Amino acid sequence: MATERTLSIIKPDATEGNHIGDILAMIEKAGLKIVAMKMTHLSKAEAEGFYAVHAERPFFGELVQFMTRSPVVVSVLEGENAVAKYREVMGATNPAEADEGTIRKAFAKDIGENSVHGSDSLENAAKEIAFFFPTTAVL
């Protein structure tokens, strides 16, 4: 088993709903360690930069507008197989399909406002961590 790092974002719908503490508790209960964290209000340019991979998708503008609506909590998580473990804790993108006990089942409103973001691969985790935490090492 490999110790990894991954990125987590608690999105505006969850921060507006006062679910930050509950979500962080679920992350820690799953055995993931929070090694860096900050609350920030993304600018339009930051949201567009972070989600640039989706720039040609029809939902891009709506995504940027959503992610700049309210503050987000960005953190670096560390643990054994952190990428896969956090994706399991998050649950399916569509909360209607998410398993009981997952973040999205508990807190997400819908497929668009789904409470959290998590890196989908080690390669993307490295890029995403560097975007928000340029001085934090990736394992």
PDB file of all heavy atoms in Angstrom, residues 30-69:
ATOM      1  N   ALA A  30     -12.350   8.348   7.963  1.00  0.00           N
ATOM      2  CA  ALA A  30     -11.961   7.394   6.918  1.00  0.00           C
ATOM      3  C   ALA A  30     -10.465   7.074   6.962  1.00  0.00           C
ATOM      4  O   ALA A  30      -9.987   6.254   6.187  1.00  0.00           O
ATOM      5  CB  ALA A  30     -12.346   7.932   5.551  1.00  0.00           C
ATOM      6  N   GLY A  31      -9.737   7.738   7.859  1.00  0.00           N
ATOM      7  CA  GLY A  31      -8.309   7.455   7.994  1.00  0.00           C
ATOM      8  C   GLY A  31      -7.410   8.351   7.170  1.00  0.00           C
ATOM      9  O   GLY A  31      -6.213   8.080   7.041  1.00  0.00           O
ATOM     10  N   LEU A  32      -7.959   9.412   6.614  1.00  0.00           N
ATOM     11  CA  LEU A  32      -7.157  10.356   5.854  1.00  0.00           C
ATOM     12  C   LEU A  32      -6.729  11.502   6.765  1.00  0.00           C
ATOM     13  O   LEU A  32      -7.522  12.002   7.564  1.00  0.00           O
ATOM     14  CB  LEU A  32      -7.945  10.887   4.660  1.00  0.00           C
ATOM     15  CG  LEU A  32      -8.262   9.837   3.602  1.00  0.00           C
ATOM     16  CD1 LEU A  32      -9.327  10.335   2.635  1.00  0.00           C
ATOM     17  CD2 LEU A  32      -6.989   9.447   2.862  1.00  0.00           C
ATOM     18  N   LYS A  33      -5.492  11.914   6.615  1.00  0.00           N
ATOM     19  CA  LYS A  33      -4.924  12.982   7.436  1.00  0.00           C
ATOM     20  C   LYS A  33      -4.934  14.282   6.629  1.00  0.00           C
ATOM     21  O   LYS A  33      -4.528  14.300   5.460  1.00  0.00           O
ATOM     22  CB  LYS A  33      -3.487  12.626   7.830  1.00  0.00           C
ATOM     23  CG  LYS A  33      -2.819  13.637   8.709  1.00  0.00           C
ATOM     24  CD  LYS A  33      -1.427  13.163   9.079  1.00  0.00           C
ATOM     25  CE  LYS A  33      -0.733  14.195   9.954  1.00  0.00           C
ATOM     26  NZ  LYS A  33       0.643  13.782  10.276  1.00  0.00           N
ATOM     27  N   ILE A  34      -5.383  15.362   7.242  1.00  0.00           N
ATOM     28  CA  ILE A  34      -5.376  16.669   6.599  1.00  0.00           C
ATOM     29  C   ILE A  34      -4.011  17.294   6.877  1.00  0.00           C
ATOM     30  O   ILE A  34      -3.670  17.568   8.027  1.00  0.00           O
ATOM     31  CB  ILE A  34      -6.518  17.557   7.137  1.00  0.00           C
ATOM     32  CG1 ILE A  34      -7.870  16.884   6.860  1.00  0.00           C
ATOM     33  CG2 ILE A  34      -6.442  18.952   6.521  1.00  0.00           C
ATOM     34  CD1 ILE A  34      -9.027  17.453   7.647  1.00  0.00           C
ATOM     35  N   VAL A  35      -3.203  17.485   5.819  1.00  0.00           N
ATOM     36  CA  VAL A  35      -1.839  17.995   5.994  1.00  0.00           C
ATOM     37  C   VAL A  35      -1.689  19.455   5.568  1.00  0.00           C
ATOM     38  O   VAL A  35      -0.659  20.073   5.853  1.00  0.00           O
ATOM     39  CB  VAL A  35      -0.795  17.107   5.281  1.00  0.00           C
ATOM     40  CG1 VAL A  35      -0.791  15.708   5.889  1.00  0.00           C
ATOM     41  CG2 VAL A  35      -1.040  17.034   3.786  1.00  0.00           C
ATOM     42  N   ALA A  36      -2.680  20.014   4.895  1.00  0.00           N
ATOM     43  CA  ALA A  36      -2.707  21.433   4.539  1.00  0.00           C
ATOM     44  C   ALA A  36      -4.169  21.793   4.302  1.00  0.00           C
ATOM     45  O   ALA A  36      -4.939  20.972   3.802  1.00  0.00           O
ATOM     46  CB  ALA A  36      -1.886  21.708   3.289  1.00  0.00           C
ATOM     47  N   MET A  37      -4.546  23.034   4.698  1.00  0.00           N
ATOM     48  CA  MET A  37      -5.939  23.424   4.513  1.00  0.00           C
ATOM     49  C   MET A  37      -6.049  24.943   4.539  1.00  0.00           C
ATOM     50  O   MET A  37      -5.329  25.608   5.281  1.00  0.00           O
ATOM     51  CB  MET A  37      -6.817  22.830   5.613  1.00  0.00           C
ATOM     52  CG  MET A  37      -8.290  23.141   5.460  1.00  0.00           C
ATOM     53  SD  MET A  37      -9.380  22.215   6.575  1.00  0.00           S
ATOM     54  CE  MET A  37      -8.699  22.558   8.160  1.00  0.00           C
ATOM     55  N   LYS A  38      -6.974  25.458   3.716  1.00  0.00           N
ATOM     56  CA  LYS A  38      -7.282  26.879   3.754  1.00  0.00           C
ATOM     57  C   LYS A  38      -8.686  27.104   3.224  1.00  0.00           C
ATOM     58  O   LYS A  38      -9.202  26.336   2.411  1.00  0.00           O
ATOM     59  CB  LYS A  38      -6.278  27.690   2.945  1.00  0.00           C
ATOM     60  CG  LYS A  38      -6.283  27.422   1.444  1.00  0.00           C
ATOM     61  CD  LYS A  38      -5.222  28.255   0.749  1.00  0.00           C
ATOM     62  CE  LYS A  38      -5.085  27.908  -0.721  1.00  0.00           C
ATOM     63  NZ  LYS A  38      -4.017  28.688  -1.345  1.00  0.00           N
ATOM     64  N   MET A  39      -9.288  28.182   3.713  1.00  0.00           N
ATOM     65  CA  MET A  39     -10.561  28.631   3.168  1.00  0.00           C
ATOM     66  C   MET A  39     -10.247  29.804   2.255  1.00  0.00           C
ATOM     67  O   MET A  39      -9.444  30.672   2.613  1.00  0.00           O
ATOM     68  CB  MET A  39     -11.530  29.056   4.263  1.00  0.00           C
ATOM     69  CG  MET A  39     -12.857  29.562   3.730  1.00  0.00           C
ATOM     70  SD  MET A  39     -13.995  30.063   5.036  1.00  0.00           S
ATOM     71  CE  MET A  39     -14.909  28.527   5.202  1.00  0.00           C
ATOM     72  N   THR A  40     -10.867  29.810   1.076  1.00  0.00           N
ATOM     73  CA  THR A  40     -10.621  30.874   0.110  1.00  0.00           C
ATOM     74  C   THR A  40     -11.889  31.125  -0.693  1.00  0.00           C
ATOM     75  O   THR A  40     -12.751  30.247  -0.800  1.00  0.00           O
ATOM     76  CB  THR A  40      -9.440  30.502  -0.823  1.00  0.00           C
ATOM     77  OG1 THR A  40      -9.120  31.620  -1.642  1.00  0.00           O
ATOM     78  CG2 THR A  40      -9.743  29.290  -1.682  1.00  0.00           C
ATOM     79  N   HIS A  41     -11.998  32.318  -1.203  1.00  0.00           N
ATOM     80  CA  HIS A  41     -13.103  32.648  -2.104  1.00  0.00           C
ATOM     81  C   HIS A  41     -12.479  32.770  -3.496  1.00  0.00           C
ATOM     82  O   HIS A  41     -11.744  33.720  -3.758  1.00  0.00           O
ATOM     83  CB  HIS A  41     -13.768  33.959  -1.684  1.00  0.00           C
ATOM     84  CG  HIS A  41     -15.125  34.141  -2.261  1.00  0.00           C
ATOM     85  ND1 HIS A  41     -16.154  34.711  -1.562  1.00  0.00           N
ATOM     86  CD2 HIS A  41     -15.644  33.814  -3.467  1.00  0.00           C
ATOM     87  CE1 HIS A  41     -17.242  34.736  -2.311  1.00  0.00           C
ATOM     88  NE2 HIS A  41     -16.946  34.198  -3.476  1.00  0.00           N
ATOM     89  N   LEU A  42     -12.732  31.793  -4.339  1.00  0.00           N
ATOM     90  CA  LEU A  42     -12.113  31.760  -5.664  1.00  0.00           C
ATOM     91  C   LEU A  42     -12.559  32.933  -6.520  1.00  0.00           C
ATOM     92  O   LEU A  42     -13.745  33.277  -6.561  1.00  0.00           O
ATOM     93  CB  LEU A  42     -12.472  30.463  -6.392  1.00  0.00           C
ATOM     94  CG  LEU A  42     -11.999  29.152  -5.783  1.00  0.00           C
ATOM     95  CD1 LEU A  42     -12.511  27.970  -6.607  1.00  0.00           C
ATOM     96  CD2 LEU A  42     -10.486  29.117  -5.681  1.00  0.00           C
ATOM     97  N   SER A  43     -11.603  33.509  -7.215  1.00  0.00           N
ATOM     98  CA  SER A  43     -11.924  34.522  -8.226  1.00  0.00           C
ATOM     99  C   SER A  43     -12.385  33.792  -9.485  1.00  0.00           C
ATOM    100  O   SER A  43     -12.171  32.573  -9.634  1.00  0.00           O
ATOM    101  CB  SER A  43     -10.691  35.363  -8.543  1.00  0.00           C
ATOM    102  OG  SER A  43      -9.729  34.576  -9.223  1.00  0.00           O
ATOM    103  N   LYS A  44     -12.973  34.532 -10.401  1.00  0.00           N
ATOM    104  CA  LYS A  44     -13.385  33.933 -11.673  1.00  0.00           C
ATOM    105  C   LYS A  44     -12.176  33.347 -12.382  1.00  0.00           C
ATOM    106  O   LYS A  44     -12.226  32.227 -12.905  1.00  0.00           O
ATOM    107  CB  LYS A  44     -14.080  34.975 -12.540  1.00  0.00           C
ATOM    108  CG  LYS A  44     -14.583  34.424 -13.851  1.00  0.00           C
ATOM    109  CD  LYS A  44     -15.291  35.472 -14.678  1.00  0.00           C
ATOM    110  CE  LYS A  44     -15.778  34.828 -15.976  1.00  0.00           C
ATOM    111  NZ  LYS A  44     -16.027  35.807 -17.021  1.00  0.00           N
ATOM    112  N   ALA A  45     -11.060  34.091 -12.393  1.00  0.00           N
ATOM    113  CA  ALA A  45      -9.845  33.613 -13.064  1.00  0.00           C
ATOM    114  C   ALA A  45      -9.316  32.335 -12.412  1.00  0.00           C
ATOM    115  O   ALA A  45      -8.876  31.411 -13.118  1.00  0.00           O
ATOM    116  CB  ALA A  45      -8.772  34.700 -13.044  1.00  0.00           C
ATOM    117  N   GLU A  46      -9.347  32.249 -11.088  1.00  0.00           N
ATOM    118  CA  GLU A  46      -8.886  31.036 -10.406  1.00  0.00           C
ATOM    119  C   GLU A  46      -9.775  29.841 -10.738  1.00  0.00           C
ATOM    120  O   GLU A  46      -9.276  28.750 -11.028  1.00  0.00           O
ATOM    121  CB  GLU A  46      -8.861  31.256  -8.890  1.00  0.00           C
ATOM    122  CG  GLU A  46      -7.752  32.158  -8.425  1.00  0.00           C
ATOM    123  CD  GLU A  46      -7.899  32.533  -6.965  1.00  0.00           C
ATOM    124  OE1 GLU A  46      -9.043  32.739  -6.486  1.00  0.00           O
ATOM    125  OE2 GLU A  46      -6.852  32.631  -6.297  1.00  0.00           O
ATOM    126  N   ALA A  47     -11.084  30.031 -10.699  1.00  0.00           N
ATOM    127  CA  ALA A  47     -12.009  28.937 -11.018  1.00  0.00           C
ATOM    128  C   ALA A  47     -11.846  28.493 -12.464  1.00  0.00           C
ATOM    129  O   ALA A  47     -11.821  27.291 -12.761  1.00  0.00           O
ATOM    130  CB  ALA A  47     -13.446  29.360 -10.736  1.00  0.00           C
ATOM    131  N   GLU A  48     -11.700  29.443 -13.375  1.00  0.00           N
ATOM    132  CA  GLU A  48     -11.497  29.100 -14.786  1.00  0.00           C
ATOM    133  C   GLU A  48     -10.179  28.356 -14.970  1.00  0.00           C
ATOM    134  O   GLU A  48     -10.106  27.404 -15.748  1.00  0.00           O
ATOM    135  CB  GLU A  48     -11.514  30.359 -15.641  1.00  0.00           C
ATOM    136  CG  GLU A  48     -12.887  30.961 -15.799  1.00  0.00           C
ATOM    137  CD  GLU A  48     -12.902  32.292 -16.529  1.00  0.00           C
ATOM    138  OE1 GLU A  48     -11.844  32.946 -16.635  1.00  0.00           O
ATOM    139  OE2 GLU A  48     -13.994  32.688 -16.985  1.00  0.00           O
ATOM    140  N   GLY A  49      -9.151  28.769 -14.255  1.00  0.00           N
ATOM    141  CA  GLY A  49      -7.856  28.091 -14.348  1.00  0.00           C
ATOM    142  C   GLY A  49      -7.900  26.684 -13.809  1.00  0.00           C
ATOM    143  O   GLY A  49      -7.399  25.745 -14.430  1.00  0.00           O
ATOM    144  N   PHE A  50      -8.522  26.522 -12.642  1.00  0.00           N
ATOM    145  CA  PHE A  50      -8.586  25.199 -12.026  1.00  0.00           C
ATOM    146  C   PHE A  50      -9.398  24.230 -12.882  1.00  0.00           C
ATOM    147  O   PHE A  50      -9.026  23.066 -13.038  1.00  0.00           O
ATOM    148  CB  PHE A  50      -9.172  25.279 -10.612  1.00  0.00           C
ATOM    149  CG  PHE A  50      -9.157  23.959  -9.907  1.00  0.00           C
ATOM    150  CD1 PHE A  50      -7.973  23.462  -9.376  1.00  0.00           C
ATOM    151  CD2 PHE A  50     -10.302  23.193  -9.787  1.00  0.00           C
ATOM    152  CE1 PHE A  50      -7.938  22.230  -8.738  1.00  0.00           C
ATOM    153  CE2 PHE A  50     -10.278  21.963  -9.159  1.00  0.00           C
ATOM    154  CZ  PHE A  50      -9.087  21.480  -8.630  1.00  0.00           C
ATOM    155  N   TYR A  51     -10.504  24.687 -13.424  1.00  0.00           N
ATOM    156  CA  TYR A  51     -11.392  23.825 -14.211  1.00  0.00           C
ATOM    157  C   TYR A  51     -11.173  23.968 -15.721  1.00  0.00           C
ATOM    158  O   TYR A  51     -12.056  23.624 -16.511  1.00  0.00           O
ATOM    159  CB  TYR A  51     -12.858  24.110 -13.845  1.00  0.00           C
ATOM    160  CG  TYR A  51     -13.230  23.574 -12.489  1.00  0.00           C
ATOM    161  CD1 TYR A  51     -13.415  24.422 -11.404  1.00  0.00           C
ATOM    162  CD2 TYR A  51     -13.383  22.203 -12.271  1.00  0.00           C
ATOM    163  CE1 TYR A  51     -13.754  23.926 -10.147  1.00  0.00           C
ATOM    164  CE2 TYR A  51     -13.716  21.702 -11.029  1.00  0.00           C
ATOM    165  CZ  TYR A  51     -13.896  22.574  -9.975  1.00  0.00           C
ATOM    166  OH  TYR A  51     -14.224  22.079  -8.734  1.00  0.00           O
ATOM    167  N   ALA A  52      -9.998  24.437 -16.130  1.00  0.00           N
ATOM    168  CA  ALA A  52      -9.703  24.659 -17.555  1.00  0.00           C
ATOM    169  C   ALA A  52      -9.937  23.412 -18.403  1.00  0.00           C
ATOM    170  O   ALA A  52     -10.316  23.517 -19.573  1.00  0.00           O
ATOM    171  CB  ALA A  52      -8.269  25.147 -17.727  1.00  0.00           C
ATOM    172  N   VAL A  53      -9.741  22.232 -17.824  1.00  0.00           N
ATOM    173  CA  VAL A  53      -9.949  20.980 -18.556  1.00  0.00           C
ATOM    174  C   VAL A  53     -11.394  20.865 -19.066  1.00  0.00           C
ATOM    175  O   VAL A  53     -11.659  20.169 -20.036  1.00  0.00           O
ATOM    176  CB  VAL A  53      -9.553  19.763 -17.684  1.00  0.00           C
ATOM    177  CG1 VAL A  53     -10.487  19.596 -16.498  1.00  0.00           C
ATOM    178  CG2 VAL A  53      -9.512  18.496 -18.504  1.00  0.00           C
ATOM    179  N   HIS A  54     -12.318  21.578 -18.414  1.00  0.00           N
ATOM    180  CA  HIS A  54     -13.734  21.528 -18.804  1.00  0.00           C
ATOM    181  C   HIS A  54     -14.171  22.744 -19.630  1.00  0.00           C
ATOM    182  O   HIS A  54     -15.367  22.921 -19.871  1.00  0.00           O
ATOM    183  CB  HIS A  54     -14.620  21.453 -17.554  1.00  0.00           C
ATOM    184  CG  HIS A  54     -14.393  20.243 -16.714  1.00  0.00           C
ATOM    185  ND1 HIS A  54     -14.520  18.966 -17.187  1.00  0.00           N
ATOM    186  CD2 HIS A  54     -14.023  20.122 -15.413  1.00  0.00           C
ATOM    187  CE1 HIS A  54     -14.256  18.103 -16.216  1.00  0.00           C
ATOM    188  NE2 HIS A  54     -13.937  18.780 -15.137  1.00  0.00           N
ATOM    189  N   ALA A  55     -13.219  23.562 -20.065  1.00  0.00           N
ATOM    190  CA  ALA A  55     -13.542  24.834 -20.722  1.00  0.00           C
ATOM    191  C   ALA A  55     -14.457  24.689 -21.934  1.00  0.00           C
ATOM    192  O   ALA A  55     -15.267  25.578 -22.206  1.00  0.00           O
ATOM    193  CB  ALA A  55     -12.267  25.563 -21.122  1.00  0.00           C
ATOM    194  N   GLU A  56     -14.362  23.601 -22.657  1.00  0.00           N
ATOM    195  CA  GLU A  56     -15.186  23.418 -23.856  1.00  0.00           C
ATOM    196  C   GLU A  56     -16.529  22.753 -23.569  1.00  0.00           C
ATOM    197  O   GLU A  56     -17.359  22.621 -24.471  1.00  0.00           O
ATOM    198  CB  GLU A  56     -14.406  22.593 -24.895  1.00  0.00           C
ATOM    199  CG  GLU A  56     -13.109  23.248 -25.347  1.00  0.00           C
ATOM    200  CD  GLU A  56     -13.313  24.644 -25.922  1.00  0.00           C
ATOM    201  OE1 GLU A  56     -14.279  24.839 -26.692  1.00  0.00           O
ATOM    202  OE2 GLU A  56     -12.511  25.537 -25.578  1.00  0.00           O
ATOM    203  N   ARG A  57     -16.739  22.357 -22.334  1.00  0.00           N
ATOM    204  CA  ARG A  57     -17.991  21.686 -21.974  1.00  0.00           C
ATOM    205  C   ARG A  57     -19.113  22.712 -21.790  1.00  0.00           C
ATOM    206  O   ARG A  57     -18.863  23.841 -21.346  1.00  0.00           O
ATOM    207  CB  ARG A  57     -17.805  20.889 -20.685  1.00  0.00           C
ATOM    208  CG  ARG A  57     -16.782  19.759 -20.802  1.00  0.00           C
ATOM    209  CD  ARG A  57     -17.520  18.438 -20.810  1.00  0.00           C
ATOM    210  NE  ARG A  57     -16.678  17.308 -21.034  1.00  0.00           N
ATOM    211  CZ  ARG A  57     -16.205  16.508 -20.083  1.00  0.00           C
ATOM    212  NH1 ARG A  57     -16.439  16.765 -18.821  1.00  0.00           N
ATOM    213  NH2 ARG A  57     -15.499  15.456 -20.397  1.00  0.00           N
ATOM    214  N   PRO A  58     -20.347  22.324 -22.072  1.00  0.00           N
ATOM    215  CA  PRO A  58     -21.459  23.285 -21.980  1.00  0.00           C
ATOM    216  C   PRO A  58     -21.723  23.793 -20.554  1.00  0.00           C
ATOM    217  O   PRO A  58     -22.281  24.866 -20.383  1.00  0.00           O
ATOM    218  CB  PRO A  58     -22.657  22.514 -22.528  1.00  0.00           C
ATOM    219  CG  PRO A  58     -22.252  21.086 -22.543  1.00  0.00           C
ATOM    220  CD  PRO A  58     -20.762  21.040 -22.609  1.00  0.00           C
ATOM    221  N   PHE A  59     -21.302  23.049 -19.544  1.00  0.00           N
ATOM    222  CA  PHE A  59     -21.558  23.439 -18.152  1.00  0.00           C
ATOM    223  C   PHE A  59     -20.453  24.304 -17.547  1.00  0.00           C
ATOM    224  O   PHE A  59     -20.542  24.711 -16.387  1.00  0.00           O
ATOM    225  CB  PHE A  59     -21.768  22.196 -17.273  1.00  0.00           C
ATOM    226  CG  PHE A  59     -20.583  21.265 -17.228  1.00  0.00           C
ATOM    227  CD1 PHE A  59     -19.504  21.512 -16.392  1.00  0.00           C
ATOM    228  CD2 PHE A  59     -20.562  20.128 -18.029  1.00  0.00           C
ATOM    229  CE1 PHE A  59     -18.412  20.644 -16.347  1.00  0.00           C
ATOM    230  CE2 PHE A  59     -19.474  19.246 -17.988  1.00  0.00           C
ATOM    231  CZ  PHE A  59     -18.397  19.512 -17.141  1.00  0.00           C
ATOM    232  N   PHE A  60     -19.419  24.639 -18.315  1.00  0.00           N
ATOM    233  CA  PHE A  60     -18.253  25.348 -17.786  1.00  0.00           C
ATOM    234  C   PHE A  60     -18.617  26.679 -17.121  1.00  0.00           C
ATOM    235  O   PHE A  60     -18.206  26.954 -15.999  1.00  0.00           O
ATOM    236  CB  PHE A  60     -17.210  25.564 -18.881  1.00  0.00           C
ATOM    237  CG  PHE A  60     -15.961  26.260 -18.408  1.00  0.00           C
ATOM    238  CD1 PHE A  60     -15.071  25.622 -17.568  1.00  0.00           C
ATOM    239  CD2 PHE A  60     -15.673  27.559 -18.807  1.00  0.00           C
ATOM    240  CE1 PHE A  60     -13.916  26.251 -17.129  1.00  0.00           C
ATOM    241  CE2 PHE A  60     -14.524  28.197 -18.380  1.00  0.00           C
ATOM    242  CZ  PHE A  60     -13.642  27.546 -17.533  1.00  0.00           C
ATOM    243  N   GLY A  61     -19.376  27.498 -17.804  1.00  0.00           N
ATOM    244  CA  GLY A  61     -19.760  28.802 -17.246  1.00  0.00           C
ATOM    245  C   GLY A  61     -20.528  28.669 -15.944  1.00  0.00           C
ATOM    246  O   GLY A  61     -20.281  29.405 -14.985  1.00  0.00           O
ATOM    247  N   GLU A  62     -21.441  27.724 -15.920  1.00  0.00           N
ATOM    248  CA  GLU A  62     -22.241  27.477 -14.711  1.00  0.00           C
ATOM    249  C   GLU A  62     -21.344  26.971 -13.574  1.00  0.00           C
ATOM    250  O   GLU A  62     -21.518  27.370 -12.420  1.00  0.00           O
ATOM    251  CB  GLU A  62     -23.330  26.454 -15.031  1.00  0.00           C
ATOM    252  CG  GLU A  62     -24.297  26.190 -13.904  1.00  0.00           C
ATOM    253  CD  GLU A  62     -25.375  25.188 -14.294  1.00  0.00           C
ATOM    254  OE1 GLU A  62     -25.804  25.173 -15.468  1.00  0.00           O
ATOM    255  OE2 GLU A  62     -25.780  24.413 -13.411  1.00  0.00           O
ATOM    256  N   LEU A  63     -20.377  26.121 -13.905  1.00  0.00           N
ATOM    257  CA  LEU A  63     -19.444  25.599 -12.907  1.00  0.00           C
ATOM    258  C   LEU A  63     -18.611  26.730 -12.306  1.00  0.00           C
ATOM    259  O   LEU A  63     -18.459  26.822 -11.083  1.00  0.00           O
ATOM    260  CB  LEU A  63     -18.536  24.537 -13.533  1.00  0.00           C
ATOM    261  CG  LEU A  63     -17.429  23.962 -12.656  1.00  0.00           C
ATOM    262  CD1 LEU A  63     -17.991  23.259 -11.436  1.00  0.00           C
ATOM    263  CD2 LEU A  63     -16.562  23.011 -13.474  1.00  0.00           C
ATOM    264  N   VAL A  64     -18.089  27.593 -13.151  1.00  0.00           N
ATOM    265  CA  VAL A  64     -17.281  28.719 -12.673  1.00  0.00           C
ATOM    266  C   VAL A  64     -18.128  29.640 -11.797  1.00  0.00           C
ATOM    267  O   VAL A  64     -17.693  30.064 -10.714  1.00  0.00           O
ATOM    268  CB  VAL A  64     -16.657  29.487 -13.865  1.00  0.00           C
ATOM    269  CG1 VAL A  64     -16.044  30.804 -13.408  1.00  0.00           C
ATOM    270  CG2 VAL A  64     -15.617  28.615 -14.556  1.00  0.00           C
ATOM    271  N   GLN A  65     -19.336  29.924 -12.226  1.00  0.00           N
ATOM    272  CA  GLN A  65     -20.227  30.777 -11.440  1.00  0.00           C
ATOM    273  C   GLN A  65     -20.510  30.148 -10.074  1.00  0.00           C
ATOM    274  O   GLN A  65     -20.480  30.832  -9.044  1.00  0.00           O
ATOM    275  CB  GLN A  65     -21.537  31.001 -12.213  1.00  0.00           C
ATOM    276  CG  GLN A  65     -22.470  31.977 -11.540  1.00  0.00           C
ATOM    277  CD  GLN A  65     -23.705  32.249 -12.385  1.00  0.00           C
ATOM    278  OE1 GLN A  65     -24.072  31.466 -13.276  1.00  0.00           O
ATOM    279  NE2 GLN A  65     -24.354  33.355 -12.125  1.00  0.00           N
ATOM    280  N   PHE A  66     -20.775  28.864 -10.051  1.00  0.00           N
ATOM    281  CA  PHE A  66     -21.031  28.147  -8.796  1.00  0.00           C
ATOM    282  C   PHE A  66     -19.815  28.186  -7.875  1.00  0.00           C
ATOM    283  O   PHE A  66     -19.929  28.493  -6.688  1.00  0.00           O
ATOM    284  CB  PHE A  66     -21.430  26.699  -9.104  1.00  0.00           C
ATOM    285  CG  PHE A  66     -21.415  25.774  -7.917  1.00  0.00           C
ATOM    286  CD1 PHE A  66     -22.198  26.021  -6.807  1.00  0.00           C
ATOM    287  CD2 PHE A  66     -20.615  24.643  -7.926  1.00  0.00           C
ATOM    288  CE1 PHE A  66     -22.188  25.163  -5.709  1.00  0.00           C
ATOM    289  CE2 PHE A  66     -20.594  23.779  -6.846  1.00  0.00           C
ATOM    290  CZ  PHE A  66     -21.384  24.043  -5.736  1.00  0.00           C
ATOM    291  N   MET A  67     -18.637  27.896  -8.417  1.00  0.00           N
ATOM    292  CA  MET A  67     -17.433  27.798  -7.586  1.00  0.00           C
ATOM    293  C   MET A  67     -16.958  29.159  -7.062  1.00  0.00           C
ATOM    294  O   MET A  67     -16.164  29.205  -6.129  1.00  0.00           O
ATOM    295  CB  MET A  67     -16.315  27.091  -8.346  1.00  0.00           C
ATOM    296  CG  MET A  67     -16.586  25.608  -8.580  1.00  0.00           C
ATOM    297  SD  MET A  67     -16.816  24.637  -7.061  1.00  0.00           S
ATOM    298  CE  MET A  67     -15.173  24.745  -6.346  1.00  0.00           C
ATOM    299  N   THR A  68     -17.448  30.244  -7.634  1.00  0.00           N
ATOM    300  CA  THR A  68     -17.082  31.581  -7.158  1.00  0.00           C
ATOM    301  C   THR A  68     -18.178  32.210  -6.309  1.00  0.00           C
ATOM    302  O   THR A  68     -18.025  33.331  -5.828  1.00  0.00           O
ATOM    303  CB  THR A  68     -16.758  32.512  -8.350  1.00  0.00           C
ATOM    304  OG1 THR A  68     -17.894  32.594  -9.216  1.00  0.00           O
ATOM    305  CG2 THR A  68     -15.551  32.006  -9.130  1.00  0.00           C
ATOM    306  N   ARG A  69     -19.253  31.503  -6.096  1.00  0.00           N
ATOM    307  CA  ARG A  69     -20.420  32.022  -5.389  1.00  0.00           C
ATOM    308  C   ARG A  69     -20.158  32.298  -3.914  1.00  0.00           C
ATOM    309  O   ARG A  69     -20.643  33.271  -3.349  1.00  0.00           O
ATOM    310  CB  ARG A  69     -21.562  31.015  -5.566  1.00  0.00           C
ATOM    311  CG  ARG A  69     -22.861  31.395  -4.922  1.00  0.00           C
ATOM    312  CD  ARG A  69     -23.948  30.424  -5.299  1.00  0.00           C
ATOM    313  NE  ARG A  69     -23.972  29.258  -4.427  1.00  0.00           N
ATOM    314  CZ  ARG A  69     -24.657  28.151  -4.700  1.00  0.00           C
ATOM    315  NH1 ARG A  69     -25.341  28.055  -5.833  1.00  0.00           N
ATOM    316  NH2 ARG A  69     -24.652  27.145  -3.864  1.00  0.00           N
TER     317      ARG A  69
END
